[in-house]
């Protein structure tokens, strides 16, 4: 059994285009896909992110509060969402052994609570910052459940064989991380998460609007790290919310690498 990667379709978010591209005029909307990824390895079934909570689609005001629900529109078609997508592969949440959360925004950890048998890998900096935000307003958070969290302080080779390596890419949030993967197909890639939303952000060295940036210097540095992976090491970057790229990748139940 070799390392394979599957793109899971976890719905669509709609919001002001300026949030991604600050130079856009006010009032223009854009829609982006919300992906999660399954990486199968001989020693485990690993999820990179868990998408949006089911109640976030059915009742966003109840789940996220009025402010966030006013800013985003949430779309989830039949067959989309992490559970339905895993089912395409003949898997249940209980089959997942490891979850790597890129970060704790609602579209990346929404279904964490379903994976009660998995070990979770998060940067300590992300957990500490997320607790501060939670304590500031007291709202429940999708990540905040009695799960088996392992807090990392830097890079981490998940199975000790270099096939799946968690790499810190802070800036979008305090402890954002990406996942480098060497697939059995020979393809080497990096799942960037929101360290880079789209290829255009990489090409233009463009940061999103300030509301989506925790630390601009760190985020620019992480963007540079990803660019070097691509240009010097030949890795394929799989961006966090790039509709054009995701349309081209084979989707589950087929592996794309
Ligand atoms: Zn994010
Ligand atoms: Zn996101």
């Amino acid at each position: 059994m070799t390392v394979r990667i599957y793109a899971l379709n976890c719905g669509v978010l709609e919001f002001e285009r300026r949030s991604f591209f600050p130079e856009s005029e006010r009032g223009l909307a854009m829609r982006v896909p919300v992906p999660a990824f399954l990486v199968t390895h001989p020693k485990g079934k690993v999820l990179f992110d868990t998408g949006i909570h089911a109640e976030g689609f059915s009742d966003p005001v109840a789940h996220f509060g009025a402010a966030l629900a006013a800013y985003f529109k949430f779309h989830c078609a039949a067959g989309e969402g992490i559970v339905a997508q895993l089912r395409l592969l003949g898997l249940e949440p209980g089959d997942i052994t490891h979850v790597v959360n890129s970060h704790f925004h609602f579209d990346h950890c929404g279904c964490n609570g379903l994976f009660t048998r998995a070990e979770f890998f998060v940067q300590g900096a992300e957990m500490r910052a997320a607790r501060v935000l939670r304590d500031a307003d007291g709202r429940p958070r999708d990540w905040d459940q009695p799960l088996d969290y392992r807090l990392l302080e830097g890079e981490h080779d998940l199975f000790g064989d270099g096939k799946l390596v968690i790499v810190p890419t802070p800036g979008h949030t305090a402890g954002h991380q990406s996942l480098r993967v060497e697939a059995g197909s020979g393809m080497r890639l990096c799942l960037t998460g929101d360290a880079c939303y789209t290829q255009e952000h990489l090409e233009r060295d463009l940061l999103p609007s300030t509301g989506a940036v925790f630390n601009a210097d760190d985020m620019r540095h992480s963007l540079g790290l990803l660019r070097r992976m691509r240009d010097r090491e030949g890795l394929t970057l799989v961006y966090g919310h790039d509709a054009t790229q995701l349309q081209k990748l084979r989707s589950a139940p087929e592996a794309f690498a």
Side-chain angles (χ1 to χ4, degrees):
M1 185 179 161
T2 65
V3 175
R4 288 209 169 82
I5 313 177
Y6 303 83
L8 309 179
N9 179 342
C10 297
V12 168
L13 276 179
E14 185 177 335
F15 48 82
E16 278 230 26
R17 189 178 161 79
R18 289 184 340 137
S19 171
F20 262 37
F21 299 103
E23 79 276 14
S24 286
E25 58 187 281
R26 206 175 276 275
L28 270 184
M30 80 181 289
R31 286 178 172 223
V32 301
V34 177
F37 299 90
L38 172 73
V39 187
T40 60
H41 180 281
K43 290 188 179 162
K45 293 187 173 63
V46 182
L47 269 187
F48 182 73
D49 289 336
T50 65
I52 296 170
H53 194 286
E55 191 190 48
F57 292 110
S58 62
D59 191 348
V61 175
H63 195 71
F64 296 120
L68 196 148
Y71 191 78
F72 293 98
K73 288 200 181 93
F74 304 81
H75 307 280
C76 185
E80 297 177 354
I82 196 96
V83 174
Q85 292 280 296
L86 287 173
R87 202 174 292 138
L88 292 176
L89 293 155
L91 297 174
E92 298 289 333
D95 295 321
I96 299 300
T97 55
H98 303 69
V99 175
V100 177
N101 283 126
S102 61
H103 62 305
F104 277 162
H105 282 165
F106 67 87
D107 53 326
H108 297 263
C109 66
C111 298
N112 275 17
L114 299 177
F115 299 97
T116 50
R117 296 176 67 177
E119 266 183 87
F120 284 74
F121 293 82
V122 180
Q123 293 293 321
E126 186 71 8
M127 182 63 88
R128 290 188 288 274
R131 284 179 181 144
V132 170
L133 290 175
R134 175 202 59 191
D135 294 346
D137 65 17
R139 283 197 68 81
R141 298 296 206 272
D142 292 325
W143 57 264
D144 192 11
Q145 310 198 39
L147 298 163
D148 185 10
Y149 281 113
R150 307 291 158 105
L151 300 186
L152 306 176
E153 304 295 337
E155 210 170 281
H156 181 70
D157 183 343
L158 210 50
F159 297 113
D161 60 0
K163 302 286 189 199
L164 282 84
V165 180
I166 296 167
V167 187
T169 44
H172 173 63
T173 59
H176 191 284
Q177 58 187 5
S178 302
L179 183 65
R180 290 178 61 130
V181 184
E182 268 187 49
S185 61
M187 188 176 183
R188 295 184 310 136
L189 55 89
C190 183
L191 306 173
T192 70
D194 287 357
C196 187
Y197 283 147
T198 70
Q199 182 174 351
E200 185 174 344
H201 289 87
L202 190 89
E203 304 295 4
R204 294 175 53 200
D205 203 13
L206 179 69
L207 299 193
S209 72
T210 51
V213 179
F214 177 80
N215 181 309
D217 287 343
D218 286 353
M219 193 165 185
R220 206 163 271 117
H221 184 265
S222 294
L223 213 47
L225 176 79
L226 293 169
R227 189 178 295 105
R228 286 195 297 282
M229 284 184 196
R230 184 187 71 168
D231 296 345
R232 297 195 194 159
E233 297 182 64
L235 267 69
T236 298
L237 300 181
V238 180
Y239 305 103
H241 294 286
D242 189 322
T244 309
Q245 181 183 42
L246 284 163
Q247 273 160 15
K248 287 187 209 149
L249 291 182
R250 280 191 300 274
S251 51
E254 272 194 87
F256 73 82

